[in-house]
Amino acid sequence: MKKHKIFRVQFILMFLLALCSCESYLERTPESQISDKEIYGSFKSFQGFTEELYNCITDYNKCGAWNQYLFADETLNKSSYASDLGNYWSMTRPFDEPSIAGGGLRRDLTPKSKRIWPLCWYGIRKANLGLTKLNLLVDATQEEKDIIKGQLLFFRGWFHFELMRYWGGLPYIDTLLYPDDNLRIPRLNYRETALMAAKDLEAAAKLLPVDWDKTKVGQNTLGNNRQRINKVFALGFLGKDLLYAASPMMNEESTGSNTYDQDLCKRAATVFGEVLRICDSTGVYKLQSWDTWTDNFWVWSPNNMTLPGGTEVIMNPTVYDRGRVRWSTVCGTSPFVEGYQAAEVPTNNYIKNYAMANGLPIDDPNSGYNPNDPWTGREPRFYKDIIIDGDTIVISSTGGDDRTAQLYTGGRHRKDSGGVTKGGSVTGFYYKRFSPIGCNPFDNSWNYFQAYIPYLRLADVYLMYAEAVYQGYGKATDHASGYVLTAEQAMNIIRNRAQLPNLAGSYTTGSASAYTGNPTNTPFMNEIIRERAVELGFEAHRFCDLRRWNLNGETKYRQKTAIDFDRGVNGKPINLSERVVITRVVEKKHNWLPFRLEFTTLYPEFQQNPGW
């Protein structure tokens, strides 16, 4: 953030403040002593202390060097991952593996080394430390005091949310703990943990401004406040926290019932409605136009200072080394990958989520889908996202045989079928959501773009609102208390932006209670699931979505497939056949990640997740 002039706090001060935040663990030399008054006495110094919490936000596209674990059934890199085989112990690398330096552990905040588990707990303790020091903040206005407290409360709630959506219910740490404390805090169930996080997020929302640029505090960094935690951040994640707690898997963990908690859904819908009302009235966030939709994910940035996100992204990861993140993005998805076995590519089963141009899913008998010509007449997002056989992948004439994608069986850009490209596709596709055409050694444009996986954007809020209203009130034509938009209308706003017509009536009738077997088996809910798959594809939502819906173990979501075909004389595919590359191993225990054994042996009340 120092490149964005965030309060221009000098690095050395930040380093010393970080040391102070760990004062219980480190012995300090006399020369390094800084008084509490110097750290917490003024807004500027206290904000400097608070800034480090932003650096504890993990960047999903770099955590583990392109975090395929969060893509679930979306992508393949090679024949399988250890996680596809059910070995969730292998997921310690992106989630909780500590960094090693000089033979011992150290706190490493570089983009490549960030891990969710250690940084969230570090952030929670730092937030608790800050909250105990608020009485020392005397050289500050009430607005400044509120903003400091609001950020600390947000991060305490948000870091707990990040942890529990992967590991389940946890102890909620809302006091400052020390090593000599009797640490025997029992795990709560998911609902209990989520409600405590909701309390912090709700309190934060009451204290934080909608737009820092409109505050007196924000004038010091006018125009550079984009990544600062504000009221919309807090409300957006408050709604998400409540919706997750209401979802079937989490509700089953808490109550034993594989259903939605309707009351929590209604609460979530009200919160999301408030987010949308604020955005409607202030314009602080608004959907990108279709022409600029890709600004959510990447932008050409000749000066290396322009950030993706446009008007729509609410929360982005904080990035300190853009070159590393940019290179990870390209290496993750490009055919031109030196030293890699294959690029991260979309699976054929996932591509089936993209509708036809008339807005109907491909399995609708009226959609016009032709399985012998599967890539013709698809919806606009398909062509924005997916690279198919024959597409241009290099603009420059120096690209030679690499100028167009050869993704047929035995083609140059296929992996394990005669292809010669190191970054060959194992499924017959590439995708370009985070690596636009031009990012290759021939066009050499990869030094001039930036790409992030957004944490939260307004489209996600619309879709979560639709889900919360539908599952809370029962019908697609219902709306939240205090906001007039119906669930159906919220869905159509996102579809219309993608140049699709409104949902057909056959997908909006019936009630949420009309399901059989699981709470997601209705036409409208199936469209929500499919719409999230497409609009939010490859954005690290899928792993959590399938799990929270209790759908992760269903065969249609476990089978990851490729498509084999020949190229016909007219360039169209012929002799098509779908092939299962791997069937993911999913048992009940895979609802949650396992804790490392050294954590579950700390004390009896901290129990391992079931099955691990």
Side-chain angles (χ1 to χ4, degrees):
M1 279 193 172
K2 63 183 178 180
K3 289 186 178 180
H4 301 298
K5 304 177 183 176
I6 296 183
F7 282 96
R8 304 173 186 259
V9 179
Q10 295 297 318
F11 176 78
I12 186 64
L13 175 59
M14 292 288 293
F15 179 70
L16 291 173
L17 293 173
L19 290 180
C20 290
S21 72
C22 294
E23 59 188 348
S24 301
Y25 302 97
L26 303 176
E27 290 187 7
R28 296 173 293 171
T29 63
E31 304 92 276
S32 70
Q33 294 289 343
I34 299 178
S35 71
D36 279 1
K37 181 179 179 181
E38 289 175 284
I39 300 171
Y40 308 108
S42 71
F43 172 77
K44 185 174 181 180
S45 60
F46 208 139
Q47 182 63 28
F49 168 88
T50 305
E51 292 291 334
E52 192 189 19
L53 291 168
Y54 288 83
N55 201 16
C56 293
I57 300 171
T58 300
D59 180 10
Y60 282 150
N61 85 346
K62 195 56 194 170
C63 176
W66 198 261
N67 193 353
Q68 68 270 17
Y69 303 101
L70 291 175
F71 295 151
D73 66 334
E74 292 172 299
T75 65
L76 269 171
N77 178 275
K78 46 188 177 181
S79 59
S80 69
Y81 302 114
S83 59
D84 286 337
L85 300 175
N87 180 14
Y88 279 14
W89 292 111
S90 69
M91 298 169 75
T92 57
R93 183 180 181 219
F95 284 96
D96 69 353
E97 178 185 84
S99 299
I100 306 296
L105 298 181
R106 70 182 175 93
R107 180 173 53 84
D108 190 342
L109 297 183
T110 63
K112 188 175 181 180
S113 302
K114 289 186 177 186
R115 299 295 183 260
I116 294 169
W117 177 270
L119 287 185
C120 284
W121 287 119
Y122 177 87
I124 288 167
R125 187 176 195 280
K126 188 176 179 74
N128 280 327
L129 176 61
L131 288 166
T132 67
K133 304 295 186 179
L134 287 173
N135 63 306
L136 301 177
L137 180 56
V138 293
D139 184 12
T141 66
Q142 188 60 49
E143 178 186 70
E144 290 171 334
K145 293 177 181 179
D146 288 346
I147 283 175
I148 293 290
K149 185 177 181 180
Q151 290 174 94
L152 295 172
L153 287 169
F154 169 84
F155 277 115
R156 186 169 72 184
W158 187 79
F159 286 133
H160 277 99
F161 171 71
E162 277 291 278
L163 290 167
M164 65 180 157
R165 65 186 181 134
Y166 299 114
W167 283 277
L170 293 164
Y172 198 88
I173 310 301
D174 56 1
T175 58
L176 187 61
L177 301 177
Y178 293 93
D180 56 353
D181 288 343
N182 183 21
L183 301 179
R184 298 181 67 96
I185 307 172
R187 290 183 64 184
L188 305 175
N189 66 36
Y190 193 96
R191 179 191 174 96
E192 291 168 336
T193 316
L195 290 180
M196 294 192 74
K199 184 178 178 181
D200 277 345
L201 293 168
E202 186 173 21
K206 293 177 180 177
L207 295 167
L208 292 167
V210 170
D211 185 348
W212 280 61
D213 280 355
K214 302 291 177 60
T215 65
K216 186 173 181 180
V217 170
Q219 299 307 299
N220 296 321
T221 49
L222 188 65
N224 292 292
N225 293 313
R226 175 187 174 84
Q227 291 181 292
R228 294 188 179 284
I229 305 302
N230 62 31
K231 184 184 293 288
V232 179
F233 281 62
L235 289 173
F237 280 103
L238 170 59
K240 192 165 189 172
D241 172 57
L242 293 169
L243 179 60
Y244 267 57
S247 296
M249 184 185 79
M250 285 73 171
N251 193 37
E252 185 177 35
E253 186 253 43
S254 302
T255 69
S257 178
N258 176 29
T259 59
Y260 275 92
D261 184 308
Q262 290 183 310
D263 289 337
L264 286 181
C265 282
K266 289 177 181 178
R267 284 185 61 184
T270 299
V271 174
F272 289 133
E274 178 63 8
V275 172
L276 296 175
R277 187 196 64 77
I278 290 172
C279 292
D280 291 343
S281 61
T282 67
V284 63
Y285 299 102
K286 52 188 176 183
L287 294 175
Q288 292 290 134
S289 67
W290 176 242
D291 290 341
T292 62
W293 181 68
T294 56
D295 284 3
N296 285 309
F297 322 115
W298 62 267
V299 291
W300 296 116
S301 182
N303 60 3
N304 280 329
M305 291 300 293
T306 305
L307 300 175
T311 61
E312 182 172 335
V313 171
I314 297 168
M315 185 174 183
N316 254 335
T318 53
V319 174
Y320 287 72
D321 186 345
R322 297 185 196 160
R324 183 180 291 278
V325 172
R326 176 173 58 226
W327 183 241
S328 170
T329 303
V330 176
C331 287
T333 62
S334 170
F336 310 105
V337 182
E338 295 297 324
Y340 286 71
Q341 290 184 326
E344 191 77 24
V345 294
T347 57
N348 188 62
N349 53 282
Y350 197 75
I351 283 174
K352 293 177 181 178
N353 287 298
Y354 290 85
M356 299 300 286
N358 60 15
L360 296 174
I362 65 171
D363 58 358
D364 188 300
N366 298 314
S367 69
Y369 174 71
N370 180 358
N372 294 314
D373 190 11
W375 310 316
T376 296
R378 301 294 284 271
E379 63 152 289
R381 285 174 297 192
F382 179 89
Y383 303 106
K384 290 253 192 183
D385 273 344
I386 307 300
I387 295 174
I388 60 175
D389 184 56
D391 279 356
T392 296
I393 54 176
V394 174
I395 300 168
S396 171
S397 60
T398 62
D401 290 341
D402 285 314
R403 290 192 68 188
T404 59
Q406 300 175 41
L407 291 167
Y408 51 86
T409 303
R412 179 177 177 81
H413 302 115
R414 280 301 288 265
K415 185 70 177 175
D416 301 328
S417 66
V420 299
T421 303
K422 288 187 178 180
S425 171
V426 73
T427 66
F429 304 97
Y430 293 110
Y431 72 100
K432 51 190 174 183
R433 183 165 289 199
F434 300 104
S435 54
I437 303 304
C439 295
N440 58 67
F442 309 104
D443 298 321
N444 200 31
S445 296
W446 45 24
N447 291 324
Y448 304 106
F449 94 106
Q450 299 292 339
Y452 301 162
I453 294 180
Y455 261 95
L456 180 67
R457 58 188 177 95
L458 195 55
D460 189 10
V461 174
Y462 275 105
L463 295 177
M464 289 190 291
Y465 174 84
E467 180 182 350
V469 167
Y470 181 65
Q471 294 295 348
Y473 292 91
K475 294 181 180 179
T477 53
D478 286 326
H479 62 83
S481 174
Y483 194 64
V484 297
L485 202 68
T486 67
E488 176 185 355
Q489 288 170 334
M491 278 277 286
N492 285 333
I493 285 174
I494 302 305
R495 289 170 58 88
N496 295 164
R497 191 263 296 270
Q499 312 299 290
L500 294 177
N502 290 346
L503 278 167
S506 57
Y507 293 97
T508 60
T509 57
S511 68
S513 61
Y515 59 83
T516 56
N518 69 63
T520 60
N521 192 24
T522 65
F524 186 71
M525 188 62 205
N526 281 327
E527 281 301 284
I528 289 176
I529 292 170
R530 195 180 60 76
E531 184 62 32
R532 286 187 67 83
V534 174
E535 177 62 33
L536 303 175
F538 318 113
E539 294 181 45
H541 294 282
R542 188 67 168 178
F543 180 69
C544 288
D545 275 350
L546 288 180
R547 287 168 46 251
R548 71 181 179 88
W549 291 324
N550 256 341
L551 296 177
N552 199 32
E554 292 199 1
T555 300
K556 67 180 289 187
Y557 300 115
R558 290 172 55 212
Q559 291 185 337
K560 301 171 84 165
T561 66
I563 189 164
D564 298 322
F565 62 97
D566 299 317
R567 183 186 285 181
V569 293
N570 62 354
K572 295 282 189 178
I574 58 174
N575 304 323
L576 292 95
S577 62
E578 187 174 18
R579 170 172 49 89
V580 176
V581 179
I582 185 151
T583 299
R584 294 190 301 122
V585 175
V586 179
E587 303 170 13
K588 196 71 172 178
K589 69 178 183 179
H590 294 110
N591 282 357
W592 308 106
L593 269 62
F595 296 105
R596 283 194 284 155
L597 296 181
E598 57 262 42
F599 301 146
T600 60
T601 55
L602 289 172
Y603 56 90
E605 291 85 354
F606 194 92
Q607 299 175 351
Q608 179 61 275
N609 278 324
W612 296 107

